[in-house]
Amino acid sequence: MAIDKDAVTVSPREQPPPNNSNDDASYKRDPVSLSGGHSPSTLLRTFLTTTLERIVPLTQAGVDSGAKVFGAAIFDKKQPPAAESGGILREVTVGTNTETASPLLHGEIQTIQQFYGMPKAEGRPDAKDTVFFATHEPCSLCLSGITWGGWDNFFYLFTYEDTRDAFSIPHDIRILEEVFRVPSTCAHETASDLSSRPLYRAHNAFFSSYSCAELLAMIPASDAGRGELVEMWDEGQAGGSFF
Ligand SMILES: [Zn+2]
């Protein structure tokens, strides 16, 4: 695939430490500001609709060819959701993993490649002006890909634990534990302290990230559309429509 030459000018977008502190809480940015002003309800509707209507069909074709079930999508932050699209964000590109071609082509990486394969001259937005969604909490490879690609956000449907338990894929957790989890030099750290540490910083100088469950929890019970979102979620999970 030809990659647009403008892509080489992209570098990770680091935010200065807020309040002179680099703890996770001070880096945490809320989904509305991360997405350029869209509500948790609009974001969740966008992600569930896209998963069901766009990623599942693509993924099915991938599974038929021997790949695993992972997909991702990128949306325009700046364009207001159109009524004719059901009030969801404009999709820039959507992709699924093509690991039969290379073990590195996870859904997120494939989608990033598609994004940077779109000519800038033909209207590809900057990564910073887009919202990144992955069906599964990104692995260490994809966390880095999203960071190197210039995104300041990502959202995901299934957690690492879901991936391990429901999809029988333990590699995300195992690689993070084995490669990146460096024991503290502090003698007070117990094995239990080490194993209870988060596997990555969900909020850091480069990005803030949220699960769809966190988005759902932010939508007030009084929100008129909440029930419909919960139904989409439940039907997808119960009926196995998600995968
Ligand atoms: Zn990955």
Side-chain angles (χ1 to χ4, degrees):
M1 180 192 301
I3 296 293
D4 192 281
K5 64 178 169 41
D6 292 338
V8 299
T9 63
V10 171
S11 54
R13 298 179 54 77
E14 191 165 353
Q15 316 275 337
N19 312 321
N20 293 320
S21 163
N22 73 343
D23 66 30
D24 295 20
S26 62
Y27 274 123
K28 191 168 187 172
R29 282 160 289 149
D30 67 83
V32 176
S33 59
L34 272 182
S35 68
H38 302 293
S39 68
S41 176
T42 297
L43 291 170
L44 187 57
R45 180 177 302 280
T46 298
F47 302 149
L48 292 175
T49 304
T50 301
T51 299
L52 288 166
E53 296 181 3
R54 301 279 292 129
I55 297 177
V56 167
L58 267 181
T59 293
Q60 195 54 52
V63 169
D64 292 344
S65 70
K68 294 195 191 78
V69 287
F70 291 85
I74 295 168
F75 303 94
D76 197 335
K77 284 185 187 177
K78 292 192 163 174
Q79 206 145 313
E84 62 268 25
S85 68
I88 67 172
L89 300 190
R90 184 183 79 83
E91 175 190 302
V92 179
T93 189
V94 58
T96 185
N97 68 327
T98 48
E99 65 189 342
T100 47
S102 161
L104 301 189
L105 290 179
H106 291 188
E108 297 92 322
I109 302 298
Q110 175 63 34
T111 303
I112 292 169
Q113 293 292 85
Q114 287 173 201
F115 178 82
Y116 281 113
M118 300 166 73
K120 185 80 178 151
E122 291 178 18
R124 166 169 52 80
D126 287 337
K128 69 177 174 54
D129 295 324
T130 65
V131 171
F132 199 102
F133 169 69
T135 53
H136 294 64
E137 191 168 14
C139 74
S140 47
L141 165 69
C142 297
L143 288 173
S144 292
I146 291 166
T147 306
W148 277 102
W151 278 275
D152 67 358
N153 70 84
F154 66 83
F155 299 84
Y156 55 92
L157 184 54
F158 297 108
T159 65
Y160 288 147
E161 290 74 19
D162 293 332
T163 306
R164 179 192 60 197
D165 301 338
F167 295 84
S168 302
I169 300 171
H171 314 308
D172 300 335
I173 290 177
R174 287 296 293 151
I175 292 174
L176 282 162
E177 283 178 342
E178 287 299 311
V179 179
F180 295 97
R181 185 173 258 171
V182 181
S184 169
T185 52
C186 162
H188 305 299
E189 187 182 61
T190 64
S192 148
D193 290 339
L194 178 63
S195 66
S196 63
R197 265 203 253 151
L199 292 166
Y200 67 98
R201 296 181 70 189
H203 306 280
N204 59 59
F206 296 106
F207 60 73
S208 266
S209 58
Y210 291 90
S211 67
C212 285
E214 288 176 292
L215 286 178
L216 183 60
M218 291 173 192
I219 302 170
S222 57
D223 187 302
R226 191 179 196 280
E228 190 191 345
L229 290 170
V230 170
E231 266 175 39
M232 279 173 81
W233 182 300
D234 288 347
E235 280 172 24
Q237 303 250 2
S241 317
F242 278 142
F243 295 111

